[in-house]
Amino acid sequence: MNPSFSYHKYFELITNGKTREAFSYRAEFTPEYLYKFFWLCDDPNDPENTKRFNTLENNQIWFAKPEMQNDPYEFKGIYIDKAKLCELGVASQSIDVANDLFLKSIVLTAFTANMSNNLPMWAHYSNNHKGYCVKYKVGNKHTIRNVIYESKRISMSNTFFNFLQKTDYGVKFRNNKYLEEAQIFSSILQDMFFMKHDSWEYEHEFRALYPFDGDAPGTNVSIDELGLSVIEIYSGINCSKGNEIQLSQIASKLCVPFRKCQTSSTEFSIF
């Protein structure tokens, strides 16, 4: 049986300045294949459908801004106690500036490690099985991190205070000798993008981040940049015939198999 990921071990490596070892340790738990679900409506000519088809055909994935996510506690698993920091002498405006540095400079996309027997994912993210799922081979495990599921939120006020002390609010380092230490704090704070309440654990989620500072709600990113490649395309069991034709044609252009999913007659699974 493979050992499970230990956030304690990962956190210990980070705080000891072993960021490279920490990221390598985390990459060990990224599987060789990941899946992503996509929403479709019945009309293959719907503009939203067309966007998704074009993105798939162009070997791209849509990355969305943090505010586009569906969890009200998204990016709040690690939290900053503003009142406590203000007591330590940090101006409230400075806290907001540093927080915006993280939240407004990235976009993200999500994958799952489980497709066939993850019925809620098919229901929630593919419009009740009307959409499709793409299987990707992971060529670079360092571009994607596992989501950590916790029952309680974690305060990082002291860490955040130290980070602000070492940098000009995370934008410009005051002194090169503090560069390594500031990178440690930055790595810890980035985990706010990879932590969710344990009620979401059924998703078996993995995420990739991408730098973006535009006004649009997100951007398409080439899967080559992520070290991914499309392996198979699956249509949901309720996918319309017109959408199936579109997906089959795209699969043919990408030289990958296209499969229409069915329900098992003996198991709670999709195949």
Side-chain angles (χ1 to χ4, degrees):
M1 181 177 181
N2 293 329
S4 59
F5 175 77
S6 169
Y7 185 66
H8 175 76
K9 178 177 178 178
Y10 170 78
F11 183 80
E12 186 175 47
L13 288 170
I14 288 288
T15 53
N16 287 330
K18 299 179 179 179
T19 53
R20 182 175 298 180
E21 292 90 335
F23 295 150
S24 294
Y25 168 70
R26 195 161 186 169
E28 293 175 10
F29 295 87
T30 300
E32 186 177 0
Y33 299 102
L34 287 171
Y35 302 86
K36 187 169 180 63
F37 292 87
F38 297 87
W39 185 100
L40 289 176
C41 68
D42 289 332
D43 181 5
N45 297 314
D46 181 89
E48 292 301 316
N49 283 16
T50 300
K51 288 180 184 178
R52 292 179 175 89
F53 291 144
N54 289 339
T55 299
L56 175 62
E57 185 173 345
N58 291 328
N59 273 317
Q60 297 174 322
I61 292 179
W62 173 256
F63 278 65
K65 285 186 173 179
E67 60 263 30
M68 305 300 293
Q69 306 307 308
N70 62 355
D71 178 6
Y73 278 98
E74 197 67 83
F75 316 121
K76 296 177 181 178
I78 291 177
Y79 70 94
I80 309 298
D81 188 336
K82 289 180 65 174
K84 182 176 181 179
L85 286 177
C86 288
E87 291 177 1
L88 294 172
V90 180
S92 178
Q93 183 180 4
S94 300
I95 300 170
D96 294 335
V97 169
N99 193 50
D100 286 347
L101 171 72
F102 289 97
L103 294 180
K104 294 185 177 180
S105 62
I106 64 98
V107 284
L108 72 147
T109 197
F111 306 87
T112 181
N114 186 359
M115 187 275 284
S116 61
N117 61 351
N118 201 338
L119 299 178
M121 294 293 288
W122 274 108
H124 297 162
Y125 295 100
S126 72
N127 192 16
N128 289 324
H129 302 263
K130 293 182 179 182
Y132 63 100
C133 178
V134 178
K135 180 180 181 179
Y136 297 95
K137 181 176 176 60
V138 181
N140 183 359
K141 294 186 177 183
H142 289 275
T143 63
I144 299 171
R145 298 188 196 179
N146 57 320
V147 168
I148 300 164
Y149 300 98
E150 296 287 342
S151 60
K152 295 182 179 180
R153 297 170 71 193
I154 299 173
S155 173
M156 284 291 180
S157 300
N158 290 334
T159 300
F160 198 64
F161 175 73
N162 290 332
F163 176 72
L164 292 177
Q165 290 292 96
K166 298 296 185 286
T167 69
D168 289 334
Y169 311 131
V171 178
K172 179 180 179 182
F173 293 104
R174 290 176 178 158
N175 191 314
N176 285 337
K177 74 176 183 177
Y178 295 125
L179 178 59
E180 181 178 348
E181 189 172 352
Q183 286 176 332
I184 293 172
F185 297 135
S186 178
S187 297
I188 294 172
L189 290 171
Q190 281 185 34
D191 273 339
M192 71 172 66
F193 298 113
F194 299 93
M195 188 171 292
K196 294 179 69 98
H197 184 254
D198 57 14
S199 60
W200 293 89
E201 194 166 5
Y202 72 91
E203 292 191 342
H204 303 287
E205 186 177 350
F206 290 77
R207 289 180 171 180
L209 304 181
Y210 194 80
F212 181 73
D213 59 0
D215 295 327
T219 185
N220 283 325
V221 176
S222 168
I223 63 174
D224 290 337
E225 289 192 56
L226 304 173
L228 299 175
S229 55
V230 177
I231 297 299
E232 289 183 302
I233 299 173
Y234 310 89
S235 65
I237 59 175
N238 295 324
C239 187
S240 70
K241 187 64 177 178
N243 285 332
E244 285 182 10
I245 293 173
Q246 290 273 17
L247 291 169
S248 178
Q249 291 173 344
I250 293 172
S252 179
K253 291 178 181 178
L254 297 179
C255 300
V256 299
F258 166 73
R259 309 186 190 281
K260 177 174 174 57
C261 286
Q262 304 175 46
T263 55
S264 169
S265 59
T266 59
E267 306 288 341
F268 282 119
S269 65
I270 302 291
F271 70 98

